[in-house]
Amino acid sequence: MMSLSRSTTSILRPLVRKNVSLTTGRSMTILSKESKETHKKENYNERMSKTGRPVSPHVTIYSFPITALTSITNRATGVALSVGALGVASLELLNGSGATMALMQDINASSGAVVTGAAKFTVAFPLVYHYLGGVRHLAWDNFPDMLTNVDVVKASYALVGGSVLLSAGLACV
């Protein structure tokens, strides 16, 4: 048996005399192998319907705030710019200098104004949006008074509207 120091036994002795349990008293649920397999086979909705507890609403009914949407879009445009830069660099490395310019001129010559404008907008929007999103964050970093809930929502709408307008203008050039 383990020997306890004198100070430890003096602390524990009153507890033993009063029959105080040192365990928490909370029992653990131990699943048998059969119940574990059954638990794995049931999906979340089936398990919740058996308990009678309500199931949390799905994310599709949640309305994202405009600030969350603009933040997600800023990240997506950053990824799009990176993929676009990789594509242009790959095209130039594989086909020689000027291959990207030649491709753009072929698209312009072989398709109508609608396709050319859509292609220009597709390139301009991520660039403009990501740039303006960076300017917005730079303004928030330097002027923290602009970080009120109302001003953040206004800045988000201005970011989307300004990006669409500037991109459309660049697509027309």
Side-chain angles (χ1 to χ4, degrees), residues 121-141:
F121 185 84
T122 302
V123 171
F125 181 77
L127 184 65
V128 169
Y129 188 92
H130 201 73
Y131 178 78
L132 292 179
V135 169
R136 177 179 71 163
H137 277 278
L138 186 63
W140 286 346
D141 289 342

Side-chain angles (χ1 to χ4, degrees), residues 6-51:
R6 186 171 272 193
S7 63
T8 305
T9 55
S10 63
I11 292 172
L12 293 176
R13 190 170 289 136
L15 297 176
V16 173
R17 284 187 197 143
K18 292 181 181 178
N19 234 355
V20 175
S21 173
L22 295 177
T23 60
T24 60
R26 179 178 161 186
S27 63
M28 289 179 48
T29 303
I30 300 174
L31 296 175
S32 66
K33 287 184 180 181
E34 295 83 22
S35 63
K36 181 179 178 184
E37 293 303 318
T38 304
H39 183 76
K40 281 183 177 179
K41 290 178 185 175
E42 292 178 345
N43 69 20
Y44 178 77
N45 289 336
E46 289 172 356
R47 288 196 309 268
M48 289 299 106
S49 65
K50 286 181 181 177
T51 63

